[in-house]
Amino acid sequence: MDPTKAPDFKPPQPNEELQPPPDPKHTIPKSGPIVPYVLADYNSSIDAPFNLDIYKTLSSRKKTANSGNRMGHIPLNTSDFQPLSRDVSSEEESEGQLNGIDSTLQDVTTTSNLGVLKSQIADLEEVPHTIVRQARSIEDYEFPVHRLTKKLQDPDKLPLIIVACGSFSPITYLHLRMFEMALDDINEQTRFEVVGGYFSPVSDNYQKRGLAPAYHRVRMCELACERTSSWLMVDAWESLQSSYTRTAKVLDHFNHEINIKRGGITTVDGEKMGVKIMLLAGGDLIESMGESHVWADSDLHHILGNYGCLIVERTGSDVRSFLLSHDIMYEHRRNILIIKQLIYNDISSTKVRLFIRRGMSVQYLLPNSVIRYIQEYNLYINQSEPVKQVLDSKE
Ligand SMILES: Nc1ncnc2c1ncn2[C@@H]1O[C@H](COP(=O)(O)OP(=O)(O)OP(=O)(O)O)[C@@H](O)[C@H]1O
Ligand SMILES: NC(=O)c1ccc[n+]([C@@H]2O[C@H](COP(=O)(O)O)[C@@H](O)[C@H]2O)c1
């Protein structure tokens, strides 16, 4: 649980000159083109119209278009949905079901933008289909792009990828819901178009109580994403590292994979454009940013300045006041979006682990496929987290 134990973590010294975190030696080139978009540019209102051409020119100059890219996209048409697995349904059945979904959606979406959006319809969890899986070793690792949008859909918007870092031990409906809340607020309040969302589970080196082995946490996230969402993915890179990786470096990894290696994504005009990457986090994580022994100031400048943060308010935490009181967060406030939970959800992985240990039901707190996985591998039953600490942890 203690990132200060990372081999490269140095606590800030008084009067220290702030330096950005050092580039990881092999994967991140010295001057990575981190996309400089901020949520609210140059004091204009967050939803003011703005000139995309400047960015198009910039990105076409930097064009490093990688012809071999294998990007997928958030499925919007039924033809884009993942095929149902053949061992459970014939091709005809699949077609019939998809057509069924299509006509239902048509009714909802042709007349207005109201109702359930096409992009938010996933295959039902009960419909088994192929699960895209990440490698178990870093040697075989490939960055997942099967649900990344291939092409921006709105010519007036900028592409954005959301990354959630955490333990996910186990992943719950709250963690999944955080992405949906973020999606709604981004669509409503910003000029960004979400082109992908990733979970990045921490590695086993993160010494936090209750961590199931990284391999299982990644698998559970994969089941949850593939079975309940049409756009979320899991990236195992962080979980496969041999030592703890600070969040600043995890975001650099996403920048490397998406912007440096693949040159961003394609705009409506067929140009390549860099993608903004933002960290999705809960209010508690953000409040931990006030503790200098947990987050280095230079990392905070790097994360909040170069990337940005989407903060989901947590019951009982006042993120806005915290933002006001924290110098670095205040400095980068235009790159931070606070997401209000309109329906409060406070599902806690710690309590889920306790329930499992006590043989209690966890149904409707996490996806069924994740519950089945936990049962199959007997996860969390032999844990020894102090019960008092579990019950007091989030209150
Ligand atoms: N109730 C909540 N409201 C908003 N965000 C939350 C809530 N619970 C967790 N999160 C956020 O989910 C992300 C992943 O959390 P993580 O799995 O590391 O811890 P957790 O969900 O609090 O689980 P644990 O109980 O094991 O500490 C973090 O950004 C965290 O802030
Ligand atoms: N200095 C850092 O980069 C730093 C510090 C604390 C937590 N984190 C990250 O925050 C996420 C959630 O942490 P907790 O589960 O401890 O709330 C993890 O992904 C962890 O790596 C990063």
PDB file of all heavy atoms in Angstrom, residues 18-21 246-248 279 285-286 288-292 294-309 322 326-329 332 336:
ATOM      1  N   LEU A  18      11.347  21.587  -8.672  1.00  0.00           N
ATOM      2  CA  LEU A  18      10.536  20.461  -9.106  1.00  0.00           C
ATOM      3  C   LEU A  18      10.962  19.967 -10.485  1.00  0.00           C
ATOM      4  O   LEU A  18      11.158  20.750 -11.404  1.00  0.00           O
ATOM      5  CB  LEU A  18       9.068  20.874  -9.139  1.00  0.00           C
ATOM      6  CG  LEU A  18       8.468  21.048  -7.764  1.00  0.00           C
ATOM      7  CD1 LEU A  18       7.044  21.551  -7.879  1.00  0.00           C
ATOM      8  CD2 LEU A  18       8.500  19.725  -7.000  1.00  0.00           C
ATOM      9  N   GLN A  19      11.116  18.688 -10.594  1.00  0.00           N
ATOM     10  CA  GLN A  19      11.495  18.059 -11.865  1.00  0.00           C
ATOM     11  C   GLN A  19      10.383  17.092 -12.252  1.00  0.00           C
ATOM     12  O   GLN A  19       9.813  16.439 -11.391  1.00  0.00           O
ATOM     13  CB  GLN A  19      12.774  17.222 -11.679  1.00  0.00           C
ATOM     14  CG  GLN A  19      14.006  18.008 -11.284  1.00  0.00           C
ATOM     15  CD  GLN A  19      14.477  18.941 -12.385  1.00  0.00           C
ATOM     16  OE1 GLN A  19      14.225  18.692 -13.565  1.00  0.00           O
ATOM     17  NE2 GLN A  19      15.136  20.021 -12.008  1.00  0.00           N
ATOM     18  N   PRO A  20      10.105  16.982 -13.541  1.00  0.00           N
ATOM     19  CA  PRO A  20       9.146  15.946 -13.923  1.00  0.00           C
ATOM     20  C   PRO A  20       9.739  14.569 -13.637  1.00  0.00           C
ATOM     21  O   PRO A  20      10.963  14.440 -13.545  1.00  0.00           O
ATOM     22  CB  PRO A  20       8.956  16.145 -15.426  1.00  0.00           C
ATOM     23  CG  PRO A  20      10.136  16.939 -15.849  1.00  0.00           C
ATOM     24  CD  PRO A  20      10.620  17.707 -14.675  1.00  0.00           C
ATOM     25  N   PRO A  21       8.906  13.545 -13.475  1.00  0.00           N
ATOM     26  CA  PRO A  21       9.477  12.233 -13.182  1.00  0.00           C
ATOM     27  C   PRO A  21      10.384  11.779 -14.322  1.00  0.00           C
ATOM     28  O   PRO A  21      10.116  12.120 -15.471  1.00  0.00           O
ATOM     29  CB  PRO A  21       8.248  11.327 -13.077  1.00  0.00           C
ATOM     30  CG  PRO A  21       7.106  12.091 -13.561  1.00  0.00           C
ATOM     31  CD  PRO A  21       7.462  13.528 -13.608  1.00  0.00           C
ATOM     32  N   ARG A 246       4.623   4.056 -10.316  1.00  0.00           N
ATOM     33  CA  ARG A 246       3.853   5.240  -9.925  1.00  0.00           C
ATOM     34  C   ARG A 246       2.843   5.609 -11.016  1.00  0.00           C
ATOM     35  O   ARG A 246       3.077   5.359 -12.198  1.00  0.00           O
ATOM     36  CB  ARG A 246       4.819   6.408  -9.681  1.00  0.00           C
ATOM     37  CG  ARG A 246       5.526   6.313  -8.344  1.00  0.00           C
ATOM     38  CD  ARG A 246       6.956   6.791  -8.442  1.00  0.00           C
ATOM     39  NE  ARG A 246       7.056   8.068  -9.100  1.00  0.00           N
ATOM     40  CZ  ARG A 246       8.029   8.349  -9.977  1.00  0.00           C
ATOM     41  NH1 ARG A 246       8.941   7.460 -10.300  1.00  0.00           N
ATOM     42  NH2 ARG A 246       8.085   9.540 -10.517  1.00  0.00           N
ATOM     43  N   THR A 247       1.748   6.215 -10.581  1.00  0.00           N
ATOM     44  CA  THR A 247       0.664   6.533 -11.512  1.00  0.00           C
ATOM     45  C   THR A 247       1.141   7.445 -12.658  1.00  0.00           C
ATOM     46  O   THR A 247       0.697   7.302 -13.799  1.00  0.00           O
ATOM     47  CB  THR A 247      -0.509   7.158 -10.725  1.00  0.00           C
ATOM     48  OG1 THR A 247      -0.914   6.205  -9.743  1.00  0.00           O
ATOM     49  CG2 THR A 247      -1.674   7.497 -11.599  1.00  0.00           C
ATOM     50  N   ALA A 248       2.072   8.356 -12.364  1.00  0.00           N
ATOM     51  CA  ALA A 248       2.587   9.248 -13.413  1.00  0.00           C
ATOM     52  C   ALA A 248       3.187   8.415 -14.547  1.00  0.00           C
ATOM     53  O   ALA A 248       2.998   8.704 -15.738  1.00  0.00           O
ATOM     54  CB  ALA A 248       3.646  10.186 -12.825  1.00  0.00           C
ATOM     55  N   LEU A 279      -6.742  10.712 -15.877  1.00  0.00           N
ATOM     56  CA  LEU A 279      -6.847   9.753 -14.785  1.00  0.00           C
ATOM     57  C   LEU A 279      -8.231   9.858 -14.155  1.00  0.00           C
ATOM     58  O   LEU A 279      -8.682  10.952 -13.816  1.00  0.00           O
ATOM     59  CB  LEU A 279      -5.768  10.070 -13.738  1.00  0.00           C
ATOM     60  CG  LEU A 279      -5.782   9.217 -12.477  1.00  0.00           C
ATOM     61  CD1 LEU A 279      -5.375   7.775 -12.785  1.00  0.00           C
ATOM     62  CD2 LEU A 279      -4.826   9.797 -11.420  1.00  0.00           C
ATOM     63  N   LEU A 285      -8.830   9.047  -3.261  1.00  0.00           N
ATOM     64  CA  LEU A 285      -7.495   8.975  -3.874  1.00  0.00           C
ATOM     65  C   LEU A 285      -6.934  10.390  -4.035  1.00  0.00           C
ATOM     66  O   LEU A 285      -5.765  10.660  -3.777  1.00  0.00           O
ATOM     67  CB  LEU A 285      -7.585   8.267  -5.232  1.00  0.00           C
ATOM     68  CG  LEU A 285      -6.245   8.003  -5.902  1.00  0.00           C
ATOM     69  CD1 LEU A 285      -5.447   7.006  -5.092  1.00  0.00           C
ATOM     70  CD2 LEU A 285      -6.444   7.472  -7.301  1.00  0.00           C
ATOM     71  N   ILE A 286      -7.827  11.288  -4.423  1.00  0.00           N
ATOM     72  CA  ILE A 286      -7.401  12.663  -4.635  1.00  0.00           C
ATOM     73  C   ILE A 286      -6.968  13.279  -3.303  1.00  0.00           C
ATOM     74  O   ILE A 286      -5.972  13.991  -3.225  1.00  0.00           O
ATOM     75  CB  ILE A 286      -8.553  13.472  -5.276  1.00  0.00           C
ATOM     76  CG1 ILE A 286      -8.886  12.882  -6.642  1.00  0.00           C
ATOM     77  CG2 ILE A 286      -8.240  14.952  -5.373  1.00  0.00           C
ATOM     78  CD1 ILE A 286      -7.721  12.658  -7.568  1.00  0.00           C
ATOM     79  N   SER A 288      -5.669  11.772  -0.936  1.00  0.00           N
ATOM     80  CA  SER A 288      -4.346  11.233  -0.566  1.00  0.00           C
ATOM     81  C   SER A 288      -3.238  12.040  -1.238  1.00  0.00           C
ATOM     82  O   SER A 288      -2.087  12.009  -0.828  1.00  0.00           O
ATOM     83  CB  SER A 288      -4.228   9.745  -0.928  1.00  0.00           C
ATOM     84  OG  SER A 288      -3.944   9.587  -2.300  1.00  0.00           O
ATOM     85  N   MET A 289      -3.596  12.806  -2.282  1.00  0.00           N
ATOM     86  CA  MET A 289      -2.598  13.627  -2.975  1.00  0.00           C
ATOM     87  C   MET A 289      -2.085  14.752  -2.086  1.00  0.00           C
ATOM     88  O   MET A 289      -1.097  15.403  -2.386  1.00  0.00           O
ATOM     89  CB  MET A 289      -3.154  14.188  -4.285  1.00  0.00           C
ATOM     90  CG  MET A 289      -3.337  13.105  -5.330  1.00  0.00           C
ATOM     91  SD  MET A 289      -3.941  13.730  -6.883  1.00  0.00           S
ATOM     92  CE  MET A 289      -3.829  12.262  -7.920  1.00  0.00           C
ATOM     93  N   GLY A 290      -2.792  14.993  -0.995  1.00  0.00           N
ATOM     94  CA  GLY A 290      -2.339  16.007  -0.048  1.00  0.00           C
ATOM     95  C   GLY A 290      -1.208  15.494   0.841  1.00  0.00           C
ATOM     96  O   GLY A 290      -0.605  16.270   1.575  1.00  0.00           O
ATOM     97  N   GLU A 291      -0.935  14.208   0.766  1.00  0.00           N
ATOM     98  CA  GLU A 291       0.101  13.642   1.634  1.00  0.00           C
ATOM     99  C   GLU A 291       1.394  13.509   0.855  1.00  0.00           C
ATOM    100  O   GLU A 291       1.498  12.707  -0.074  1.00  0.00           O
ATOM    101  CB  GLU A 291      -0.357  12.278   2.160  1.00  0.00           C
ATOM    102  CG  GLU A 291      -1.600  12.395   3.025  1.00  0.00           C
ATOM    103  CD  GLU A 291      -2.211  11.031   3.331  1.00  0.00           C
ATOM    104  OE1 GLU A 291      -1.468  10.044   3.448  1.00  0.00           O
ATOM    105  OE2 GLU A 291      -3.448  10.973   3.437  1.00  0.00           O
ATOM    106  N   SER A 292       2.383  14.313   1.250  1.00  0.00           N
ATOM    107  CA  SER A 292       3.604  14.386   0.441  1.00  0.00           C
ATOM    108  C   SER A 292       4.426  13.105   0.502  1.00  0.00           C
ATOM    109  O   SER A 292       5.263  12.860  -0.350  1.00  0.00           O
ATOM    110  CB  SER A 292       4.452  15.577   0.867  1.00  0.00           C
ATOM    111  OG  SER A 292       4.778  15.427   2.228  1.00  0.00           O
ATOM    112  N   VAL A 294       3.100  10.277   0.102  1.00  0.00           N
ATOM    113  CA  VAL A 294       2.433   9.326  -0.790  1.00  0.00           C
ATOM    114  C   VAL A 294       2.610   9.726  -2.263  1.00  0.00           C
ATOM    115  O   VAL A 294       2.831   8.884  -3.129  1.00  0.00           O
ATOM    116  CB  VAL A 294       0.928   9.216  -0.427  1.00  0.00           C
ATOM    117  CG1 VAL A 294       0.214   8.231  -1.340  1.00  0.00           C
ATOM    118  CG2 VAL A 294       0.749   8.784   1.028  1.00  0.00           C
ATOM    119  N   TRP A 295       2.506  11.001  -2.539  1.00  0.00           N
ATOM    120  CA  TRP A 295       2.654  11.490  -3.920  1.00  0.00           C
ATOM    121  C   TRP A 295       3.755  12.555  -3.941  1.00  0.00           C
ATOM    122  O   TRP A 295       3.696  13.512  -3.169  1.00  0.00           O
ATOM    123  CB  TRP A 295       1.361  12.139  -4.418  1.00  0.00           C
ATOM    124  CG  TRP A 295       0.182  11.223  -4.474  1.00  0.00           C
ATOM    125  CD1 TRP A 295      -0.636  10.868  -3.438  1.00  0.00           C
ATOM    126  CD2 TRP A 295      -0.332  10.545  -5.626  1.00  0.00           C
ATOM    127  NE1 TRP A 295      -1.617  10.022  -3.876  1.00  0.00           N
ATOM    128  CE2 TRP A 295      -1.460   9.800  -5.215  1.00  0.00           C
ATOM    129  CE3 TRP A 295       0.045  10.499  -6.970  1.00  0.00           C
ATOM    130  CZ2 TRP A 295      -2.210   9.017  -6.102  1.00  0.00           C
ATOM    131  CZ3 TRP A 295      -0.707   9.722  -7.847  1.00  0.00           C
ATOM    132  CH2 TRP A 295      -1.817   8.991  -7.410  1.00  0.00           C
ATOM    133  N   ALA A 296       4.706  12.423  -4.861  1.00  0.00           N
ATOM    134  CA  ALA A 296       5.724  13.461  -5.019  1.00  0.00           C
ATOM    135  C   ALA A 296       5.091  14.651  -5.734  1.00  0.00           C
ATOM    136  O   ALA A 296       4.276  14.462  -6.647  1.00  0.00           O
ATOM    137  CB  ALA A 296       6.873  12.912  -5.839  1.00  0.00           C
ATOM    138  N   ASP A 297       5.452  15.857  -5.338  1.00  0.00           N
ATOM    139  CA  ASP A 297       4.900  17.054  -5.995  1.00  0.00           C
ATOM    140  C   ASP A 297       5.138  17.020  -7.506  1.00  0.00           C
ATOM    141  O   ASP A 297       4.289  17.409  -8.301  1.00  0.00           O
ATOM    142  CB  ASP A 297       5.549  18.320  -5.418  1.00  0.00           C
ATOM    143  CG  ASP A 297       4.975  18.650  -4.040  1.00  0.00           C
ATOM    144  OD1 ASP A 297       4.083  17.908  -3.575  1.00  0.00           O
ATOM    145  OD2 ASP A 297       5.432  19.642  -3.431  1.00  0.00           O
ATOM    146  N   SER A 298       6.344  16.575  -7.887  1.00  0.00           N
ATOM    147  CA  SER A 298       6.663  16.560  -9.322  1.00  0.00           C
ATOM    148  C   SER A 298       5.712  15.615 -10.068  1.00  0.00           C
ATOM    149  O   SER A 298       5.308  15.900 -11.201  1.00  0.00           O
ATOM    150  CB  SER A 298       8.111  16.129  -9.540  1.00  0.00           C
ATOM    151  OG  SER A 298       8.332  14.904  -8.873  1.00  0.00           O
ATOM    152  N   ASP A 299       5.334  14.515  -9.429  1.00  0.00           N
ATOM    153  CA  ASP A 299       4.379  13.594 -10.065  1.00  0.00           C
ATOM    154  C   ASP A 299       3.008  14.255 -10.193  1.00  0.00           C
ATOM    155  O   ASP A 299       2.318  14.088 -11.205  1.00  0.00           O
ATOM    156  CB  ASP A 299       4.225  12.312  -9.226  1.00  0.00           C
ATOM    157  CG  ASP A 299       5.322  11.295  -9.541  1.00  0.00           C
ATOM    158  OD1 ASP A 299       6.334  11.694 -10.153  1.00  0.00           O
ATOM    159  OD2 ASP A 299       5.161  10.122  -9.169  1.00  0.00           O
ATOM    160  N   LEU A 300       2.628  14.993  -9.155  1.00  0.00           N
ATOM    161  CA  LEU A 300       1.317  15.655  -9.216  1.00  0.00           C
ATOM    162  C   LEU A 300       1.282  16.676 -10.354  1.00  0.00           C
ATOM    163  O   LEU A 300       0.306  16.760 -11.101  1.00  0.00           O
ATOM    164  CB  LEU A 300       0.989  16.326  -7.875  1.00  0.00           C
ATOM    165  CG  LEU A 300       0.730  15.366  -6.710  1.00  0.00           C
ATOM    166  CD1 LEU A 300       0.319  16.139  -5.461  1.00  0.00           C
ATOM    167  CD2 LEU A 300      -0.361  14.351  -7.070  1.00  0.00           C
ATOM    168  N   HIS A 301       2.387  17.452 -10.498  1.00  0.00           N
ATOM    169  CA  HIS A 301       2.432  18.412 -11.617  1.00  0.00           C
ATOM    170  C   HIS A 301       2.347  17.668 -12.953  1.00  0.00           C
ATOM    171  O   HIS A 301       1.677  18.106 -13.888  1.00  0.00           O
ATOM    172  CB  HIS A 301       3.728  19.225 -11.563  1.00  0.00           C
ATOM    173  CG  HIS A 301       3.656  20.358 -10.570  1.00  0.00           C
ATOM    174  ND1 HIS A 301       2.820  21.441 -10.741  1.00  0.00           N
ATOM    175  CD2 HIS A 301       4.312  20.564  -9.400  1.00  0.00           C
ATOM    176  CE1 HIS A 301       2.962  22.281  -9.712  1.00  0.00           C
ATOM    177  NE2 HIS A 301       3.854  21.767  -8.884  1.00  0.00           N
ATOM    178  N   HIS A 302       3.047  16.561 -13.018  1.00  0.00           N
ATOM    179  CA  HIS A 302       3.066  15.778 -14.260  1.00  0.00           C
ATOM    180  C   HIS A 302       1.663  15.244 -14.562  1.00  0.00           C
ATOM    181  O   HIS A 302       1.154  15.402 -15.685  1.00  0.00           O
ATOM    182  CB  HIS A 302       4.057  14.615 -14.084  1.00  0.00           C
ATOM    183  CG  HIS A 302       4.346  13.872 -15.355  1.00  0.00           C
ATOM    184  ND1 HIS A 302       4.991  14.435 -16.427  1.00  0.00           N
ATOM    185  CD2 HIS A 302       4.067  12.585 -15.718  1.00  0.00           C
ATOM    186  CE1 HIS A 302       5.107  13.544 -17.398  1.00  0.00           C
ATOM    187  NE2 HIS A 302       4.552  12.404 -16.988  1.00  0.00           N
ATOM    188  N   ILE A 303       1.028  14.641 -13.557  1.00  0.00           N
ATOM    189  CA  ILE A 303      -0.300  14.031 -13.771  1.00  0.00           C
ATOM    190  C   ILE A 303      -1.353  15.097 -14.059  1.00  0.00           C
ATOM    191  O   ILE A 303      -2.104  15.013 -15.031  1.00  0.00           O
ATOM    192  CB  ILE A 303      -0.721  13.204 -12.527  1.00  0.00           C
ATOM    193  CG1 ILE A 303       0.205  11.997 -12.354  1.00  0.00           C
ATOM    194  CG2 ILE A 303      -2.179  12.755 -12.626  1.00  0.00           C
ATOM    195  CD1 ILE A 303       0.031  11.252 -11.041  1.00  0.00           C
ATOM    196  N   LEU A 304      -1.387  16.128 -13.210  1.00  0.00           N
ATOM    197  CA  LEU A 304      -2.464  17.119 -13.338  1.00  0.00           C
ATOM    198  C   LEU A 304      -2.201  18.110 -14.462  1.00  0.00           C
ATOM    199  O   LEU A 304      -3.123  18.602 -15.101  1.00  0.00           O
ATOM    200  CB  LEU A 304      -2.653  17.866 -12.015  1.00  0.00           C
ATOM    201  CG  LEU A 304      -2.983  16.968 -10.813  1.00  0.00           C
ATOM    202  CD1 LEU A 304      -2.972  17.766  -9.515  1.00  0.00           C
ATOM    203  CD2 LEU A 304      -4.344  16.298 -11.012  1.00  0.00           C
ATOM    204  N   GLY A 305      -0.926  18.410 -14.707  1.00  0.00           N
ATOM    205  CA  GLY A 305      -0.588  19.392 -15.742  1.00  0.00           C
ATOM    206  C   GLY A 305      -0.619  18.777 -17.124  1.00  0.00           C
ATOM    207  O   GLY A 305      -1.246  19.299 -18.039  1.00  0.00           O
ATOM    208  N   ASN A 306       0.058  17.647 -17.292  1.00  0.00           N
ATOM    209  CA  ASN A 306       0.158  17.060 -18.631  1.00  0.00           C
ATOM    210  C   ASN A 306      -1.045  16.211 -19.004  1.00  0.00           C
ATOM    211  O   ASN A 306      -1.384  16.094 -20.176  1.00  0.00           O
ATOM    212  CB  ASN A 306       1.410  16.188 -18.736  1.00  0.00           C
ATOM    213  CG  ASN A 306       2.666  17.032 -18.695  1.00  0.00           C
ATOM    214  OD1 ASN A 306       2.715  18.114 -19.275  1.00  0.00           O
ATOM    215  ND2 ASN A 306       3.673  16.557 -17.990  1.00  0.00           N
ATOM    216  N   TYR A 307      -1.623  15.575 -18.048  1.00  0.00           N
ATOM    217  CA  TYR A 307      -2.769  14.707 -18.354  1.00  0.00           C
ATOM    218  C   TYR A 307      -4.062  15.351 -17.851  1.00  0.00           C
ATOM    219  O   TYR A 307      -4.781  15.965 -18.616  1.00  0.00           O
ATOM    220  CB  TYR A 307      -2.555  13.312 -17.749  1.00  0.00           C
ATOM    221  CG  TYR A 307      -1.333  12.624 -18.351  1.00  0.00           C
ATOM    222  CD1 TYR A 307      -0.149  12.488 -17.627  1.00  0.00           C
ATOM    223  CD2 TYR A 307      -1.365  12.151 -19.659  1.00  0.00           C
ATOM    224  CE1 TYR A 307       0.962  11.884 -18.194  1.00  0.00           C
ATOM    225  CE2 TYR A 307      -0.266  11.549 -20.232  1.00  0.00           C
ATOM    226  CZ  TYR A 307       0.902  11.417 -19.490  1.00  0.00           C
ATOM    227  OH  TYR A 307       1.990  10.828 -20.059  1.00  0.00           O
ATOM    228  N   GLY A 308      -4.347  15.237 -16.578  1.00  0.00           N
ATOM    229  CA  GLY A 308      -5.599  15.792 -16.052  1.00  0.00           C
ATOM    230  C   GLY A 308      -6.316  14.715 -15.263  1.00  0.00           C
ATOM    231  O   GLY A 308      -5.951  13.537 -15.315  1.00  0.00           O
ATOM    232  N   CYS A 309      -7.314  15.126 -14.530  1.00  0.00           N
ATOM    233  CA  CYS A 309      -7.935  14.201 -13.605  1.00  0.00           C
ATOM    234  C   CYS A 309      -9.460  14.346 -13.592  1.00  0.00           C
ATOM    235  O   CYS A 309      -9.988  15.462 -13.598  1.00  0.00           O
ATOM    236  CB  CYS A 309      -7.366  14.486 -12.219  1.00  0.00           C
ATOM    237  SG  CYS A 309      -7.390  13.070 -11.197  1.00  0.00           S
ATOM    238  N   PHE A 322     -11.211  20.584  -0.993  1.00  0.00           N
ATOM    239  CA  PHE A 322      -9.851  20.058  -0.986  1.00  0.00           C
ATOM    240  C   PHE A 322      -9.049  20.663  -2.133  1.00  0.00           C
ATOM    241  O   PHE A 322      -7.899  21.097  -1.969  1.00  0.00           O
ATOM    242  CB  PHE A 322      -9.880  18.526  -1.097  1.00  0.00           C
ATOM    243  CG  PHE A 322      -8.511  17.943  -1.128  1.00  0.00           C
ATOM    244  CD1 PHE A 322      -7.731  17.924   0.020  1.00  0.00           C
ATOM    245  CD2 PHE A 322      -7.964  17.454  -2.302  1.00  0.00           C
ATOM    246  CE1 PHE A 322      -6.434  17.434   0.004  1.00  0.00           C
ATOM    247  CE2 PHE A 322      -6.688  16.952  -2.331  1.00  0.00           C
ATOM    248  CZ  PHE A 322      -5.920  16.937  -1.175  1.00  0.00           C
ATOM    249  N   HIS A 326      -5.475  22.882  -1.897  1.00  0.00           N
ATOM    250  CA  HIS A 326      -4.228  22.210  -2.291  1.00  0.00           C
ATOM    251  C   HIS A 326      -3.575  23.025  -3.416  1.00  0.00           C
ATOM    252  O   HIS A 326      -4.155  23.173  -4.503  1.00  0.00           O
ATOM    253  CB  HIS A 326      -4.583  20.797  -2.769  1.00  0.00           C
ATOM    254  CG  HIS A 326      -3.398  19.915  -2.977  1.00  0.00           C
ATOM    255  ND1 HIS A 326      -2.554  20.039  -4.051  1.00  0.00           N
ATOM    256  CD2 HIS A 326      -2.918  18.890  -2.242  1.00  0.00           C
ATOM    257  CE1 HIS A 326      -1.612  19.118  -3.973  1.00  0.00           C
ATOM    258  NE2 HIS A 326      -1.805  18.414  -2.875  1.00  0.00           N
ATOM    259  N   ASP A 327      -2.368  23.522  -3.170  1.00  0.00           N
ATOM    260  CA  ASP A 327      -1.748  24.450  -4.123  1.00  0.00           C
ATOM    261  C   ASP A 327      -1.595  23.858  -5.526  1.00  0.00           C
ATOM    262  O   ASP A 327      -1.914  24.508  -6.525  1.00  0.00           O
ATOM    263  CB  ASP A 327      -0.371  24.889  -3.605  1.00  0.00           C
ATOM    264  CG  ASP A 327      -0.508  25.838  -2.427  1.00  0.00           C
ATOM    265  OD1 ASP A 327      -1.617  26.390  -2.255  1.00  0.00           O
ATOM    266  OD2 ASP A 327       0.478  26.005  -1.674  1.00  0.00           O
ATOM    267  N   ILE A 328      -1.100  22.637  -5.591  1.00  0.00           N
ATOM    268  CA  ILE A 328      -0.831  22.062  -6.929  1.00  0.00           C
ATOM    269  C   ILE A 328      -2.148  21.764  -7.650  1.00  0.00           C
ATOM    270  O   ILE A 328      -2.294  22.042  -8.841  1.00  0.00           O
ATOM    271  CB  ILE A 328       0.036  20.789  -6.817  1.00  0.00           C
ATOM    272  CG1 ILE A 328       1.373  21.131  -6.148  1.00  0.00           C
ATOM    273  CG2 ILE A 328       0.266  20.171  -8.189  1.00  0.00           C
ATOM    274  CD1 ILE A 328       2.295  19.953  -5.912  1.00  0.00           C
ATOM    275  N   MET A 329      -3.102  21.237  -6.899  1.00  0.00           N
ATOM    276  CA  MET A 329      -4.391  20.943  -7.542  1.00  0.00           C
ATOM    277  C   MET A 329      -5.058  22.238  -7.995  1.00  0.00           C
ATOM    278  O   MET A 329      -5.648  22.302  -9.076  1.00  0.00           O
ATOM    279  CB  MET A 329      -5.300  20.194  -6.582  1.00  0.00           C
ATOM    280  CG  MET A 329      -4.748  18.840  -6.263  1.00  0.00           C
ATOM    281  SD  MET A 329      -5.969  17.728  -5.678  1.00  0.00           S
ATOM    282  CE  MET A 329      -6.793  17.282  -7.092  1.00  0.00           C
ATOM    283  N   HIS A 332      -3.684  23.517 -11.214  1.00  0.00           N
ATOM    284  CA  HIS A 332      -4.100  22.774 -12.410  1.00  0.00           C
ATOM    285  C   HIS A 332      -5.614  22.570 -12.462  1.00  0.00           C
ATOM    286  O   HIS A 332      -6.093  21.651 -13.123  1.00  0.00           O
ATOM    287  CB  HIS A 332      -3.399  21.410 -12.437  1.00  0.00           C
ATOM    288  CG  HIS A 332      -1.917  21.507 -12.505  1.00  0.00           C
ATOM    289  ND1 HIS A 332      -1.247  21.992 -13.610  1.00  0.00           N
ATOM    290  CD2 HIS A 332      -0.966  21.204 -11.587  1.00  0.00           C
ATOM    291  CE1 HIS A 332       0.057  21.970 -13.374  1.00  0.00           C
ATOM    292  NE2 HIS A 332       0.254  21.501 -12.151  1.00  0.00           N
ATOM    293  N   ILE A 336      -9.000  19.666 -14.282  1.00  0.00           N
ATOM    294  CA  ILE A 336      -9.621  18.723 -13.344  1.00  0.00           C
ATOM    295  C   ILE A 336     -11.142  18.851 -13.461  1.00  0.00           C
ATOM    296  O   ILE A 336     -11.662  19.961 -13.466  1.00  0.00           O
ATOM    297  CB  ILE A 336      -9.183  19.055 -11.893  1.00  0.00           C
ATOM    298  CG1 ILE A 336      -7.682  18.821 -11.735  1.00  0.00           C
ATOM    299  CG2 ILE A 336      -9.979  18.219 -10.876  1.00  0.00           C
ATOM    300  CD1 ILE A 336      -7.114  19.278 -10.403  1.00  0.00           C
TER     301      ILE A 336
END
